[in-house]
Amino acid sequence: MSGKAVIDKVPVERWQKAQSWEKDFWENAQKARARLFKNQLWRLLSVFGAVPKYRGDDSNRWWKEQFQDYAFLPSRIENAIEAGCGPYTNIRLMLDRTHFDHLVLSDPLIRSYARFRLTFVADMYAQVACVLDDHPLEQLPYASDTFELSVMLNVLDHVQDAVKCMENLVRVTKPGGIM
């Protein structure tokens, strides 16, 4: 090791600035996707199976490959949460392996993401098929031992306190659950 300290906490002001940057980034990406009737074309192509139903990916398909297409998941999960789900979620790519009775999509920016067109988040929210939680992971409001599946991919570089986030995710995951 090079002797450099690992930074696992950042000041709240720095985190807030990063959240603002991230919100602007994803909103601008959505605007670019919608230009020149591209969303309408996407919707039409998806009806014929030429493109996926949902638009956008933030390395989610890469993560799916790294976890062997989530083959380890059971066919049914009662309670699941994706912490730091972002605008496109990893959990959407688990649906060909498992069914979620109750799903929580958690991200401080989730309310913005729910307005994005042609996304899993927007679709699940419109169908009232998930709960949107906009708490930072450090303040996760769920009781201990709530979720059989807790997903968190590519998140710790976006938080204020990485140790607290890990503690919270472990806390809300049921004993014997998958994290």
Side-chain angles (χ1 to χ4, degrees):
M1 196 150 182
S2 65
K4 293 182 180 178
V6 174
I7 298 172
D8 60 2
K9 291 183 183 180
V10 296
V12 68
E13 299 82 18
R14 183 173 177 183
W15 178 80
Q16 288 170 335
K17 187 174 181 179
Q19 289 293 293
S20 178
W21 179 90
E22 185 142 350
K23 181 177 184 243
D24 290 345
F25 174 82
W26 289 121
E27 286 178 348
N28 288 333
Q30 290 301 307
K31 288 175 189 173
R33 282 193 174 101
R35 272 187 246 150
L36 303 173
F37 302 102
K38 290 178 190 173
N39 278 346
Q40 291 85 346
L41 178 59
W42 186 276
R43 187 173 288 128
L44 180 63
L45 290 172
S46 73
V47 168
F48 294 105
V51 296
K53 178 180 180 180
Y54 301 118
R55 205 157 180 214
D57 194 73
D58 183 21
S59 300
N60 309 107
R61 293 182 199 293
W62 182 86
W63 282 111
K64 183 179 179 180
E65 289 177 21
Q66 303 317 299
F67 285 100
Q68 292 74 46
D69 294 331
Y70 303 117
F72 58 86
L73 291 173
S75 62
R76 179 180 166 267
I77 294 173
E78 185 178 348
N79 293 310
I81 185 171
E82 183 171 357
C85 65
Y88 306 121
T89 81
N90 289 284
I91 226 160
R92 81 180 196 279
L93 299 177
M94 298 174 189
L95 291 174
D96 59 346
R97 296 283 183 188
T98 192
H99 168 78
F100 305 107
D101 292 343
H102 305 282
L103 175 60
V104 174
L105 298 175
S106 180
D107 193 296
L109 300 173
I110 196 70
R111 304 274 174 215
S112 294
Y113 300 154
R115 292 190 304 265
F116 292 175
R117 297 186 188 274
L118 301 175
T119 64
F120 176 76
V121 174
D123 194 24
M124 291 294 101
Y125 183 60
Q127 294 179 40
V128 192
C130 70
V131 171
L132 300 182
D133 171 49
D134 61 3
H135 291 87
L137 188 49
E138 295 87 350
Q139 300 167 16
L140 207 57
Y142 300 97
S144 297
D145 306 333
T146 298
F147 300 100
E148 288 83 19
L149 175 67
S150 298
V151 176
M152 180 177 69
L153 293 169
N154 191 30
V155 172
L156 292 179
D157 57 327
H158 298 271
V159 302
Q160 296 173 58
D161 185 335
V163 172
K164 180 70 174 171
C165 290
M166 289 302 301
E167 290 171 350
N168 266 339
L169 206 60
V170 169
R171 177 184 62 76
V172 300
T173 305
K174 284 186 176 183
I178 301 169
M179 189 174 107

PDB file of all heavy atoms in Angstrom, residues 11-38:
ATOM      1  N   PRO A  11     -17.234  15.838   4.172  1.00  0.00           N
ATOM      2  CA  PRO A  11     -18.097  16.858   4.783  1.00  0.00           C
ATOM      3  C   PRO A  11     -19.442  16.948   4.055  1.00  0.00           C
ATOM      4  O   PRO A  11     -19.531  16.716   2.848  1.00  0.00           O
ATOM      5  CB  PRO A  11     -17.308  18.158   4.602  1.00  0.00           C
ATOM      6  CG  PRO A  11     -15.911  17.743   4.315  1.00  0.00           C
ATOM      7  CD  PRO A  11     -15.981  16.395   3.659  1.00  0.00           C
ATOM      8  N   VAL A  12     -20.473  17.298   4.784  1.00  0.00           N
ATOM      9  CA  VAL A  12     -21.823  17.374   4.229  1.00  0.00           C
ATOM     10  C   VAL A  12     -21.885  18.343   3.054  1.00  0.00           C
ATOM     11  O   VAL A  12     -22.584  18.083   2.067  1.00  0.00           O
ATOM     12  CB  VAL A  12     -22.870  17.703   5.318  1.00  0.00           C
ATOM     13  CG1 VAL A  12     -22.711  19.115   5.845  1.00  0.00           C
ATOM     14  CG2 VAL A  12     -24.273  17.488   4.805  1.00  0.00           C
ATOM     15  N   GLU A  13     -21.152  19.443   3.108  1.00  0.00           N
ATOM     16  CA  GLU A  13     -21.165  20.404   2.015  1.00  0.00           C
ATOM     17  C   GLU A  13     -20.626  19.776   0.729  1.00  0.00           C
ATOM     18  O   GLU A  13     -21.163  20.014  -0.358  1.00  0.00           O
ATOM     19  CB  GLU A  13     -20.339  21.657   2.358  1.00  0.00           C
ATOM     20  CG  GLU A  13     -20.842  22.432   3.559  1.00  0.00           C
ATOM     21  CD  GLU A  13     -20.382  21.842   4.899  1.00  0.00           C
ATOM     22  OE1 GLU A  13     -19.407  21.045   4.931  1.00  0.00           O
ATOM     23  OE2 GLU A  13     -21.027  22.146   5.911  1.00  0.00           O
ATOM     24  N   ARG A  14     -19.572  18.995   0.842  1.00  0.00           N
ATOM     25  CA  ARG A  14     -19.003  18.330  -0.335  1.00  0.00           C
ATOM     26  C   ARG A  14     -19.991  17.308  -0.896  1.00  0.00           C
ATOM     27  O   ARG A  14     -20.169  17.196  -2.104  1.00  0.00           O
ATOM     28  CB  ARG A  14     -17.681  17.665   0.035  1.00  0.00           C
ATOM     29  CG  ARG A  14     -17.002  17.017  -1.138  1.00  0.00           C
ATOM     30  CD  ARG A  14     -15.634  16.515  -0.782  1.00  0.00           C
ATOM     31  NE  ARG A  14     -15.050  15.828  -1.922  1.00  0.00           N
ATOM     32  CZ  ARG A  14     -13.902  15.237  -1.894  1.00  0.00           C
ATOM     33  NH1 ARG A  14     -13.170  15.246  -0.800  1.00  0.00           N
ATOM     34  NH2 ARG A  14     -13.442  14.627  -2.955  1.00  0.00           N
ATOM     35  N   TRP A  15     -20.650  16.560  -0.010  1.00  0.00           N
ATOM     36  CA  TRP A  15     -21.635  15.578  -0.440  1.00  0.00           C
ATOM     37  C   TRP A  15     -22.796  16.268  -1.148  1.00  0.00           C
ATOM     38  O   TRP A  15     -23.256  15.824  -2.195  1.00  0.00           O
ATOM     39  CB  TRP A  15     -22.126  14.753   0.752  1.00  0.00           C
ATOM     40  CG  TRP A  15     -23.178  13.763   0.377  1.00  0.00           C
ATOM     41  CD1 TRP A  15     -22.979  12.538  -0.211  1.00  0.00           C
ATOM     42  CD2 TRP A  15     -24.592  13.899   0.525  1.00  0.00           C
ATOM     43  NE1 TRP A  15     -24.186  11.916  -0.431  1.00  0.00           N
ATOM     44  CE2 TRP A  15     -25.193  12.737   0.024  1.00  0.00           C
ATOM     45  CE3 TRP A  15     -25.405  14.903   1.046  1.00  0.00           C
ATOM     46  CZ2 TRP A  15     -26.566  12.538   0.023  1.00  0.00           C
ATOM     47  CZ3 TRP A  15     -26.779  14.704   1.052  1.00  0.00           C
ATOM     48  CH2 TRP A  15     -27.335  13.532   0.546  1.00  0.00           C
ATOM     49  N   GLN A  16     -23.293  17.371  -0.593  1.00  0.00           N
ATOM     50  CA  GLN A  16     -24.401  18.105  -1.200  1.00  0.00           C
ATOM     51  C   GLN A  16     -24.016  18.639  -2.580  1.00  0.00           C
ATOM     52  O   GLN A  16     -24.822  18.590  -3.522  1.00  0.00           O
ATOM     53  CB  GLN A  16     -24.862  19.248  -0.292  1.00  0.00           C
ATOM     54  CG  GLN A  16     -25.594  18.758   0.932  1.00  0.00           C
ATOM     55  CD  GLN A  16     -25.849  19.863   1.951  1.00  0.00           C
ATOM     56  OE1 GLN A  16     -25.138  20.865   2.006  1.00  0.00           O
ATOM     57  NE2 GLN A  16     -26.871  19.665   2.774  1.00  0.00           N
ATOM     58  N   LYS A  17     -22.798  19.120  -2.717  1.00  0.00           N
ATOM     59  CA  LYS A  17     -22.325  19.609  -4.013  1.00  0.00           C
ATOM     60  C   LYS A  17     -22.268  18.452  -5.023  1.00  0.00           C
ATOM     61  O   LYS A  17     -22.671  18.608  -6.179  1.00  0.00           O
ATOM     62  CB  LYS A  17     -20.942  20.246  -3.857  1.00  0.00           C
ATOM     63  CG  LYS A  17     -20.443  20.919  -5.101  1.00  0.00           C
ATOM     64  CD  LYS A  17     -19.132  21.647  -4.845  1.00  0.00           C
ATOM     65  CE  LYS A  17     -18.652  22.347  -6.096  1.00  0.00           C
ATOM     66  NZ  LYS A  17     -17.414  23.077  -5.886  1.00  0.00           N
ATOM     67  N   ALA A  18     -21.807  17.297  -4.576  1.00  0.00           N
ATOM     68  CA  ALA A  18     -21.750  16.124  -5.450  1.00  0.00           C
ATOM     69  C   ALA A  18     -23.155  15.676  -5.853  1.00  0.00           C
ATOM     70  O   ALA A  18     -23.396  15.297  -7.012  1.00  0.00           O
ATOM     71  CB  ALA A  18     -21.005  14.989  -4.763  1.00  0.00           C
ATOM     72  N   GLN A  19     -24.105  15.731  -4.931  1.00  0.00           N
ATOM     73  CA  GLN A  19     -25.485  15.373  -5.247  1.00  0.00           C
ATOM     74  C   GLN A  19     -26.067  16.328  -6.287  1.00  0.00           C
ATOM     75  O   GLN A  19     -26.769  15.903  -7.206  1.00  0.00           O
ATOM     76  CB  GLN A  19     -26.344  15.379  -3.978  1.00  0.00           C
ATOM     77  CG  GLN A  19     -26.052  14.242  -3.022  1.00  0.00           C
ATOM     78  CD  GLN A  19     -26.436  12.904  -3.608  1.00  0.00           C
ATOM     79  OE1 GLN A  19     -27.600  12.607  -3.819  1.00  0.00           O
ATOM     80  NE2 GLN A  19     -25.443  12.080  -3.886  1.00  0.00           N
ATOM     81  N   SER A  20     -25.773  17.591  -6.145  1.00  0.00           N
ATOM     82  CA  SER A  20     -26.249  18.590  -7.103  1.00  0.00           C
ATOM     83  C   SER A  20     -25.660  18.318  -8.482  1.00  0.00           C
ATOM     84  O   SER A  20     -26.368  18.367  -9.500  1.00  0.00           O
ATOM     85  CB  SER A  20     -25.865  19.988  -6.624  1.00  0.00           C
ATOM     86  OG  SER A  20     -26.268  20.947  -7.550  1.00  0.00           O
ATOM     87  N   TRP A  21     -24.368  18.020  -8.524  1.00  0.00           N
ATOM     88  CA  TRP A  21     -23.712  17.705  -9.796  1.00  0.00           C
ATOM     89  C   TRP A  21     -24.351  16.466 -10.413  1.00  0.00           C
ATOM     90  O   TRP A  21     -24.654  16.442 -11.617  1.00  0.00           O
ATOM     91  CB  TRP A  21     -22.217  17.474  -9.583  1.00  0.00           C
ATOM     92  CG  TRP A  21     -21.521  17.137 -10.860  1.00  0.00           C
ATOM     93  CD1 TRP A  21     -20.956  18.007 -11.736  1.00  0.00           C
ATOM     94  CD2 TRP A  21     -21.366  15.826 -11.427  1.00  0.00           C
ATOM     95  NE1 TRP A  21     -20.441  17.320 -12.817  1.00  0.00           N
ATOM     96  CE2 TRP A  21     -20.676  15.978 -12.655  1.00  0.00           C
ATOM     97  CE3 TRP A  21     -21.725  14.547 -11.025  1.00  0.00           C
ATOM     98  CZ2 TRP A  21     -20.365  14.901 -13.470  1.00  0.00           C
ATOM     99  CZ3 TRP A  21     -21.414  13.472 -11.847  1.00  0.00           C
ATOM    100  CH2 TRP A  21     -20.732  13.656 -13.053  1.00  0.00           C
ATOM    101  N   GLU A  22     -24.576  15.432  -9.609  1.00  0.00           N
ATOM    102  CA  GLU A  22     -25.143  14.190 -10.130  1.00  0.00           C
ATOM    103  C   GLU A  22     -26.561  14.409 -10.667  1.00  0.00           C
ATOM    104  O   GLU A  22     -26.926  13.915 -11.733  1.00  0.00           O
ATOM    105  CB  GLU A  22     -25.149  13.111  -9.042  1.00  0.00           C
ATOM    106  CG  GLU A  22     -25.600  11.790  -9.557  1.00  0.00           C
ATOM    107  CD  GLU A  22     -24.850  10.623  -8.966  1.00  0.00           C
ATOM    108  OE1 GLU A  22     -23.840  10.811  -8.282  1.00  0.00           O
ATOM    109  OE2 GLU A  22     -25.293   9.501  -9.219  1.00  0.00           O
ATOM    110  N   LYS A  23     -27.362  15.157  -9.935  1.00  0.00           N
ATOM    111  CA  LYS A  23     -28.732  15.457 -10.388  1.00  0.00           C
ATOM    112  C   LYS A  23     -28.685  16.180 -11.736  1.00  0.00           C
ATOM    113  O   LYS A  23     -29.403  15.811 -12.670  1.00  0.00           O
ATOM    114  CB  LYS A  23     -29.460  16.301  -9.347  1.00  0.00           C
ATOM    115  CG  LYS A  23     -30.875  16.633  -9.713  1.00  0.00           C
ATOM    116  CD  LYS A  23     -31.546  17.420  -8.587  1.00  0.00           C
ATOM    117  CE  LYS A  23     -32.999  17.664  -8.914  1.00  0.00           C
ATOM    118  NZ  LYS A  23     -33.336  19.049  -9.058  1.00  0.00           N
ATOM    119  N   ASP A  24     -27.848  17.193 -11.851  1.00  0.00           N
ATOM    120  CA  ASP A  24     -27.717  17.929 -13.113  1.00  0.00           C
ATOM    121  C   ASP A  24     -27.253  17.015 -14.242  1.00  0.00           C
ATOM    122  O   ASP A  24     -27.760  17.076 -15.369  1.00  0.00           O
ATOM    123  CB  ASP A  24     -26.749  19.096 -12.975  1.00  0.00           C
ATOM    124  CG  ASP A  24     -27.281  20.217 -12.107  1.00  0.00           C
ATOM    125  OD1 ASP A  24     -28.498  20.246 -11.836  1.00  0.00           O
ATOM    126  OD2 ASP A  24     -26.466  21.066 -11.677  1.00  0.00           O
ATOM    127  N   PHE A  25     -26.293  16.155 -13.954  1.00  0.00           N
ATOM    128  CA  PHE A  25     -25.759  15.237 -14.963  1.00  0.00           C
ATOM    129  C   PHE A  25     -26.859  14.347 -15.534  1.00  0.00           C
ATOM    130  O   PHE A  25     -27.035  14.245 -16.747  1.00  0.00           O
ATOM    131  CB  PHE A  25     -24.639  14.378 -14.365  1.00  0.00           C
ATOM    132  CG  PHE A  25     -24.138  13.318 -15.302  1.00  0.00           C
ATOM    133  CD1 PHE A  25     -23.204  13.624 -16.275  1.00  0.00           C
ATOM    134  CD2 PHE A  25     -24.616  12.011 -15.220  1.00  0.00           C
ATOM    135  CE1 PHE A  25     -22.745  12.652 -17.152  1.00  0.00           C
ATOM    136  CE2 PHE A  25     -24.173  11.037 -16.095  1.00  0.00           C
ATOM    137  CZ  PHE A  25     -23.232  11.353 -17.067  1.00  0.00           C
ATOM    138  N   TRP A  26     -27.626  13.687 -14.643  1.00  0.00           N
ATOM    139  CA  TRP A  26     -28.654  12.753 -15.110  1.00  0.00           C
ATOM    140  C   TRP A  26     -29.818  13.480 -15.769  1.00  0.00           C
ATOM    141  O   TRP A  26     -30.387  12.988 -16.745  1.00  0.00           O
ATOM    142  CB  TRP A  26     -29.139  11.857 -13.973  1.00  0.00           C
ATOM    143  CG  TRP A  26     -28.117  10.847 -13.561  1.00  0.00           C
ATOM    144  CD1 TRP A  26     -27.564  10.700 -12.313  1.00  0.00           C
ATOM    145  CD2 TRP A  26     -27.505   9.849 -14.378  1.00  0.00           C
ATOM    146  NE1 TRP A  26     -26.649   9.676 -12.318  1.00  0.00           N
ATOM    147  CE2 TRP A  26     -26.591   9.132 -13.573  1.00  0.00           C
ATOM    148  CE3 TRP A  26     -27.623   9.487 -15.716  1.00  0.00           C
ATOM    149  CZ2 TRP A  26     -25.829   8.083 -14.067  1.00  0.00           C
ATOM    150  CZ3 TRP A  26     -26.858   8.437 -16.205  1.00  0.00           C
ATOM    151  CH2 TRP A  26     -25.974   7.753 -15.387  1.00  0.00           C
ATOM    152  N   GLU A  27     -30.179  14.657 -15.269  1.00  0.00           N
ATOM    153  CA  GLU A  27     -31.260  15.411 -15.906  1.00  0.00           C
ATOM    154  C   GLU A  27     -30.853  15.862 -17.312  1.00  0.00           C
ATOM    155  O   GLU A  27     -31.653  15.797 -18.245  1.00  0.00           O
ATOM    156  CB  GLU A  27     -31.676  16.601 -15.041  1.00  0.00           C
ATOM    157  CG  GLU A  27     -32.483  16.162 -13.830  1.00  0.00           C
ATOM    158  CD  GLU A  27     -32.879  17.296 -12.907  1.00  0.00           C
ATOM    159  OE1 GLU A  27     -32.353  18.428 -13.044  1.00  0.00           O
ATOM    160  OE2 GLU A  27     -33.719  17.037 -12.025  1.00  0.00           O
ATOM    161  N   ASN A  28     -29.614  16.291 -17.481  1.00  0.00           N
ATOM    162  CA  ASN A  28     -29.128  16.671 -18.813  1.00  0.00           C
ATOM    163  C   ASN A  28     -29.078  15.467 -19.748  1.00  0.00           C
ATOM    164  O   ASN A  28     -29.384  15.591 -20.941  1.00  0.00           O
ATOM    165  CB  ASN A  28     -27.767  17.351 -18.716  1.00  0.00           C
ATOM    166  CG  ASN A  28     -27.867  18.746 -18.126  1.00  0.00           C
ATOM    167  OD1 ASN A  28     -28.897  19.405 -18.245  1.00  0.00           O
ATOM    168  ND2 ASN A  28     -26.821  19.193 -17.465  1.00  0.00           N
ATOM    169  N   ALA A  29     -28.702  14.310 -19.216  1.00  0.00           N
ATOM    170  CA  ALA A  29     -28.689  13.089 -20.029  1.00  0.00           C
ATOM    171  C   ALA A  29     -30.100  12.747 -20.497  1.00  0.00           C
ATOM    172  O   ALA A  29     -30.304  12.342 -21.654  1.00  0.00           O
ATOM    173  CB  ALA A  29     -28.088  11.933 -19.240  1.00  0.00           C
ATOM    174  N   GLN A  30     -31.072  12.921 -19.614  1.00  0.00           N
ATOM    175  CA  GLN A  30     -32.463  12.648 -19.989  1.00  0.00           C
ATOM    176  C   GLN A  30     -32.948  13.608 -21.063  1.00  0.00           C
ATOM    177  O   GLN A  30     -33.643  13.207 -21.996  1.00  0.00           O
ATOM    178  CB  GLN A  30     -33.370  12.729 -18.753  1.00  0.00           C
ATOM    179  CG  GLN A  30     -33.167  11.601 -17.775  1.00  0.00           C
ATOM    180  CD  GLN A  30     -33.422  10.249 -18.417  1.00  0.00           C
ATOM    181  OE1 GLN A  30     -34.461  10.008 -19.000  1.00  0.00           O
ATOM    182  NE2 GLN A  30     -32.444   9.366 -18.316  1.00  0.00           N
ATOM    183  N   LYS A  31     -32.601  14.871 -20.934  1.00  0.00           N
ATOM    184  CA  LYS A  31     -32.995  15.855 -21.947  1.00  0.00           C
ATOM    185  C   LYS A  31     -32.394  15.501 -23.307  1.00  0.00           C
ATOM    186  O   LYS A  31     -33.058  15.601 -24.339  1.00  0.00           O
ATOM    187  CB  LYS A  31     -32.563  17.255 -21.523  1.00  0.00           C
ATOM    188  CG  LYS A  31     -33.381  17.821 -20.390  1.00  0.00           C
ATOM    189  CD  LYS A  31     -32.831  19.159 -19.932  1.00  0.00           C
ATOM    190  CE  LYS A  31     -33.528  19.617 -18.659  1.00  0.00           C
ATOM    191  NZ  LYS A  31     -32.903  20.824 -18.098  1.00  0.00           N
ATOM    192  N   ALA A  32     -31.138  15.096 -23.310  1.00  0.00           N
ATOM    193  CA  ALA A  32     -30.475  14.721 -24.564  1.00  0.00           C
ATOM    194  C   ALA A  32     -31.151  13.506 -25.196  1.00  0.00           C
ATOM    195  O   ALA A  32     -31.314  13.444 -26.415  1.00  0.00           O
ATOM    196  CB  ALA A  32     -28.996  14.433 -24.309  1.00  0.00           C
ATOM    197  N   ARG A  33     -31.568  12.556 -24.377  1.00  0.00           N
ATOM    198  CA  ARG A  33     -32.241  11.360 -24.901  1.00  0.00           C
ATOM    199  C   ARG A  33     -33.597  11.694 -25.520  1.00  0.00           C
ATOM    200  O   ARG A  33     -34.067  10.998 -26.398  1.00  0.00           O
ATOM    201  CB  ARG A  33     -32.443  10.342 -23.783  1.00  0.00           C
ATOM    202  CG  ARG A  33     -31.219   9.586 -23.452  1.00  0.00           C
ATOM    203  CD  ARG A  33     -31.556   8.392 -22.578  1.00  0.00           C
ATOM    204  NE  ARG A  33     -30.338   7.629 -22.413  1.00  0.00           N
ATOM    205  CZ  ARG A  33     -29.582   7.678 -21.338  1.00  0.00           C
ATOM    206  NH1 ARG A  33     -29.944   8.407 -20.311  1.00  0.00           N
ATOM    207  NH2 ARG A  33     -28.467   6.974 -21.270  1.00  0.00           N
ATOM    208  N   ALA A  34     -34.250  12.716 -25.008  1.00  0.00           N
ATOM    209  CA  ALA A  34     -35.603  13.054 -25.463  1.00  0.00           C
ATOM    210  C   ALA A  34     -35.609  13.920 -26.723  1.00  0.00           C
ATOM    211  O   ALA A  34     -36.652  14.053 -27.366  1.00  0.00           O
ATOM    212  CB  ALA A  34     -36.354  13.765 -24.340  1.00  0.00           C
ATOM    213  N   ARG A  35     -34.476  14.495 -27.093  1.00  0.00           N
ATOM    214  CA  ARG A  35     -34.437  15.377 -28.263  1.00  0.00           C
ATOM    215  C   ARG A  35     -34.817  14.646 -29.544  1.00  0.00           C
ATOM    216  O   ARG A  35     -34.527  13.467 -29.696  1.00  0.00           O
ATOM    217  CB  ARG A  35     -33.035  15.959 -28.421  1.00  0.00           C
ATOM    218  CG  ARG A  35     -32.880  17.243 -27.632  1.00  0.00           C
ATOM    219  CD  ARG A  35     -31.568  17.902 -27.929  1.00  0.00           C
ATOM    220  NE  ARG A  35     -30.841  17.817 -26.663  1.00  0.00           N
ATOM    221  CZ  ARG A  35     -29.543  17.736 -26.530  1.00  0.00           C
ATOM    222  NH1 ARG A  35     -28.769  17.756 -27.566  1.00  0.00           N
ATOM    223  NH2 ARG A  35     -28.992  17.655 -25.349  1.00  0.00           N
ATOM    224  N   LEU A  36     -35.433  15.382 -30.442  1.00  0.00           N
ATOM    225  CA  LEU A  36     -35.763  14.892 -31.786  1.00  0.00           C
ATOM    226  C   LEU A  36     -36.632  13.629 -31.767  1.00  0.00           C
ATOM    227  O   LEU A  36     -36.441  12.717 -32.563  1.00  0.00           O
ATOM    228  CB  LEU A  36     -34.480  14.645 -32.592  1.00  0.00           C
ATOM    229  CG  LEU A  36     -33.542  15.841 -32.736  1.00  0.00           C
ATOM    230  CD1 LEU A  36     -32.243  15.441 -33.392  1.00  0.00           C
ATOM    231  CD2 LEU A  36     -34.232  16.967 -33.502  1.00  0.00           C
ATOM    232  N   PHE A  37     -37.541  13.565 -30.810  1.00  0.00           N
ATOM    233  CA  PHE A  37     -38.501  12.458 -30.711  1.00  0.00           C
ATOM    234  C   PHE A  37     -37.842  11.106 -30.466  1.00  0.00           C
ATOM    235  O   PHE A  37     -38.396  10.067 -30.812  1.00  0.00           O
ATOM    236  CB  PHE A  37     -39.388  12.410 -31.972  1.00  0.00           C
ATOM    237  CG  PHE A  37     -40.134  13.677 -32.208  1.00  0.00           C
ATOM    238  CD1 PHE A  37     -39.700  14.586 -33.172  1.00  0.00           C
ATOM    239  CD2 PHE A  37     -41.255  13.995 -31.452  1.00  0.00           C
ATOM    240  CE1 PHE A  37     -40.388  15.771 -33.391  1.00  0.00           C
ATOM    241  CE2 PHE A  37     -41.943  15.172 -31.661  1.00  0.00           C
ATOM    242  CZ  PHE A  37     -41.517  16.067 -32.629  1.00  0.00           C
ATOM    243  N   LYS A  38     -36.650  11.116 -29.884  1.00  0.00           N
ATOM    244  CA  LYS A  38     -35.938   9.863 -29.650  1.00  0.00           C
ATOM    245  C   LYS A  38     -36.672   8.947 -28.664  1.00  0.00           C
ATOM    246  O   LYS A  38     -36.637   7.734 -28.813  1.00  0.00           O
ATOM    247  CB  LYS A  38     -34.524  10.134 -29.138  1.00  0.00           C
ATOM    248  CG  LYS A  38     -33.608  10.737 -30.168  1.00  0.00           C
ATOM    249  CD  LYS A  38     -32.252  11.016 -29.570  1.00  0.00           C
ATOM    250  CE  LYS A  38     -31.380  11.831 -30.489  1.00  0.00           C
ATOM    251  NZ  LYS A  38     -30.141  12.237 -29.821  1.00  0.00           N
TER     252      LYS A  38
END
